[in-house]
Amino acid sequence: MTTTLWHERARNLAIDGRALIDGQRVWAKSGATFDDISPVDGRSLGPVARCDVADVDAAVAVARNAFEDRRWAGLAPAARKRIMIKFADLIVANRDELALLETLDMGKPIKYSLSVDVNGAANCIRWYGEAVDKVYDEIAPTPDTALALITREPVGVVGAIVPWNYPMLMASWKIGPALAVGNSVVLKPSEKSPLTALRLAEIALQAGIPPGVFNVLPGYGHEAGSALALHMDVDCIAFTGSTKVGKLIVQYAGQSNLKRAWTELGGKSPNIVCADCPDLDAAVSAAVGSIYFNQGESCNAPSRLFVEASIKDKFLEKALAMVPDFQPGDPLDENTVMGAIVDGIQLKSVLGFIESGKEQGAQLLAGGEQARTESGGYYVTPTIFDQVGNDMRIAREEIFGPVLSVLSFTDLNEAIRAANATSFGLQAAVWTSDIRKAHQTARALRVGTVHVNQYDEDDMTVPFGGFKQSGNGRDKSLHAFDKYTEMKTTWIRIV
Ligand code: NAD
């Protein structure tokens, strides 16, 4: 579609910021709203319900009721499967609208909203729908005198809290497995990007998920988010977001009903390129493409690049040649590969990190500036720092912007030690032609996912999550079912 047509569609797009509780679109009980500002141009998309504790109480009561009367949990897995697949089909049918909402709400390029976010969300919902009637329970190898069944049951009411960087996808990674196994869900999207979650809930209703089973409450973290995580009648809280808030979520669980608390948190992923890397061009392309993808606002962005000293100059020459391809552009232009930073606060934070890099003595090789200010939106040029020390802020903290920190090494063991010298443990990569080195490095890296000779391979079949302060949960794959089910043992006397 042409850029003009996307803009025309954006102007005519209906925005509905009301919550969705019990199948109905409603404003917050208090009547409070907040303005949903688009980072594309700084304009308001419209008012959104500012839900708080009263709305959380109402939504949790509705979700509990829906769970207890088994309107969804009581369906055969094959019946839930059919509805989940219809849900996925309807996401695809509403592809353009969902992609446009996502781009306007959080600034990512429309081409990725279409190909990554909408397709990824539909794929996730479909995958869990298809999986749920193929998973078997267990019978324990007990003596003949008794039969012991080990079964999985839905946990009950799931509270899900998600961030703004992949709003629809992160929501789908929670609701896909949680709904498929029969739970009721109350989802709180980020206040920075609430629109696609609300549409997803409408689409779920249209697909046949009964009212009350999937509820969405937009609002602030310290209001709706904390009320959900502290609620005495929520059985499980599934959280994706920052490590700082993740720590609060675990505390809220302990302060309330000891609900199961799953956290998928931040990262500062190391990407180690050895001199015997089998394909330097591929390594450069992955290093640059992955840090600038989604404006650098990815938990698993390879933000720390460790390059073996003997190839660093060549590597950086090739990397710098690619940088112009990533200049931020109009997110509604299908040729744009880097869009807007989510809001003014995040923009200020990213620019602050860039200043700290300069102050602490790193060498700015590219970017480092705000861009497209005439648009009214929030854009940053693709940035590379060389001569980064492992103790600098830009090497230690999650920037969540298009900033690559380059460190070099001469001894691989030293690089592994530096790579592990972080509180995060989400993802890492190593590039080498030596299978022994690759395997030993992959083992030594304390992270949830290691890539060898590539960076961004991704599939619904593999778990995603972190070690250390990158969280304790795993999204995606059959393992995600563990988060949303309780394990029950039933002993049956036989003789
Ligand atoms: P954030 O922690 O600020 O917010 C995440 C969500 O928590 C939002 O919905 C927010 O409203 C809510 N929240 C904030 N304060 C709360 C509170 N006191 N109680 C309950 N809820 C509260 O994170 P963000 O800025 O939205 O997202 C960026 C972060 O998410 C980054 O750290 C990124 O690495 C991480 N992330 C992790 C993964 C993963 O799978 N590991 C995926 C995507 C993003």
Side-chain angles (χ1 to χ4, degrees):
M1 204 182 302
T2 63
T3 312
T4 316
L5 204 49
W6 277 117
H7 276 281
E8 194 184 310
R9 288 218 180 167
R11 277 192 297 278
N12 297 325
L13 191 64
I15 303 282
D16 187 347
R18 290 176 295 172
L20 194 149
I21 304 175
D22 207 7
Q24 305 293 321
R25 298 302 297 263
V26 290
W27 290 110
K29 285 183 188 300
S30 67
T33 59
F34 62 90
D35 244 350
D36 189 7
I37 305 294
S38 172
V40 171
D41 55 12
R43 294 210 192 108
S44 171
L45 293 166
V48 172
R50 180 173 169 173
C51 294
D52 62 20
V53 64
D55 308 289
V56 170
D57 284 344
V60 171
V62 157
R64 172 62 58 195
N65 198 27
F67 183 68
E68 295 295 334
D69 71 16
R70 297 182 58 76
R71 70 187 75 162
W72 175 245
L75 296 185
R80 272 187 260 121
K81 170 183 77 174
R82 282 191 288 278
I83 294 173
M84 294 290 284
I85 290 174
K86 180 140 185 239
F87 182 13
D89 288 343
L90 287 173
I91 291 173
V92 175
N94 288 279
R95 184 169 183 262
D96 287 356
E97 184 206 355
L98 287 167
L100 191 52
L101 286 172
E102 201 80 313
T103 287
L104 293 174
D105 223 2
M106 65 70 67
K108 70 176 68 195
I110 190 76
K111 81 170 187 182
Y112 295 136
S113 291
L114 288 163
S115 63
V116 175
D117 298 75
V118 179
N119 284 353
N123 184 35
C124 173
I125 302 292
R126 189 184 311 281
W127 197 88
Y128 283 107
E130 283 176 346
V132 77
D133 69 343
K134 295 166 190 73
V135 182
Y136 289 70
D137 287 325
E138 299 167 42
I139 296 176
T142 54
D144 287 351
T145 48
L147 183 65
L149 310 179
I150 304 167
T151 51
R152 288 267 172 195
E153 296 183 0
V155 69
V157 175
V158 172
I161 301 179
V162 293
W164 47 261
N165 60 336
Y166 296 91
M168 202 174 354
L169 202 54
M170 293 303 104
S172 301
W173 286 7
K174 308 293 185 209
I175 64 171
L179 289 174
V181 294
N183 293 291
S184 296
V185 176
V186 178
L187 167 68
K188 194 207 82 67
S190 169
E191 59 276 21
K192 301 183 184 192
S193 60
L195 300 178
T196 45
L198 291 165
R199 274 297 285 139
L200 278 186
E202 281 187 333
I203 292 170
L205 277 174
Q206 206 185 331
I209 294 185
V213 170
F214 176 25
N215 309 278
V216 179
L217 299 181
Y220 289 105
H222 64 282
E223 294 175 350
S226 57
L228 190 59
L230 280 163
H231 205 287
M232 291 300 288
D233 205 24
V234 168
D235 300 296
C236 159
I237 191 87
F239 175 80
T240 299
S242 62
T243 296
K244 185 172 156 222
V245 177
K247 289 183 180 184
L248 290 177
I249 297 293
V250 175
Q251 288 177 40
Y252 295 154
Q255 280 165 28
S256 53
N257 59 345
L258 212 58
K259 57 179 68 64
R260 279 85 184 97
W262 300 110
T263 54
E264 271 88 26
L265 311 175
K268 189 75 187 173
S269 299
N271 181 17
I272 303 174
V273 185
C274 301
D276 64 355
C277 159
D279 183 344
L280 196 61
D281 288 331
V284 173
S285 179
V288 173
S290 301
I291 185 65
Y292 299 143
F293 184 69
N294 213 42
Q295 303 70 245
E297 298 163 328
S298 296
C299 52
N300 58 344
S303 49
R304 289 186 295 154
L305 173 67
F306 292 86
V307 194
E308 194 156 348
S310 60
I311 57 162
K312 194 179 89 170
D313 289 349
K314 202 155 126 204
F315 193 101
L316 285 180
E317 190 188 320
K318 285 174 183 281
L320 285 169
M322 286 186 70
V323 165
D325 299 343
F326 292 89
Q327 290 307 315
D330 178 354
L332 292 179
D333 179 341
E334 289 188 9
N335 294 313
T336 293
V337 292
M338 197 157 84
I341 300 290
V342 71
D343 66 3
I345 299 169
Q346 186 65 13
L347 173 79
K348 204 167 149 212
S349 165
V350 173
L351 294 174
F353 274 111
I354 291 170
E355 279 316 303
S356 88
K358 291 189 212 161
E359 279 162 18
Q360 292 192 300
Q363 186 189 357
L364 183 66
L365 293 187
E369 286 160 354
Q370 198 177 341
R372 293 176 51 81
T373 46
E374 72 292 348
S375 67
Y378 315 110
Y379 300 83
V380 174
T381 51
T383 301
I384 299 184
F385 276 109
D386 190 15
Q387 309 290 346
V388 176
N390 217 18
D391 51 352
M392 291 181 190
R393 281 188 65 210
I394 57 169
R396 306 201 70 79
E397 297 177 38
E398 187 179 39
I399 301 175
F400 231 51
V403 182
L404 180 64
S405 299
V406 182
L407 303 95
S408 69
F409 67 93
T410 46
D411 168 11
L412 181 56
N413 288 326
E414 173 202 313
I416 294 169
R417 263 195 303 278
N420 281 336
T422 166
S423 55
F424 297 111
L426 192 56
Q427 191 161 312
V430 57
W431 299 73
T432 174
S433 301
D434 181 338
I435 183 73
R436 207 171 123 257
K437 231 156 90 179
H439 193 59
Q440 284 173 350
T441 309
R443 271 207 183 159
L445 289 165
R446 301 280 302 146
V447 296
T449 301
V450 184
H451 294 282
V452 177
N453 295 335
Q454 49 94 28
Y455 196 80
D456 256 349
E457 196 68 49
D458 187 30
D459 200 76
M460 274 312 298
T461 55
V462 294
F464 184 90
F467 285 18
K468 302 197 278 186
Q469 293 187 36
S470 288
N472 62 359
R474 292 293 181 274
D475 279 329
K476 300 168 61 194
S477 84
L478 295 180
H479 292 283
F481 282 145
D482 295 344
K483 299 198 300 189
Y484 305 109
T485 52
E486 292 284 18
M487 188 184 282
K488 179 181 275 180
T489 301
T490 308
W491 281 101
I492 302 171
R493 188 159 182 258
I494 302 288
V495 288

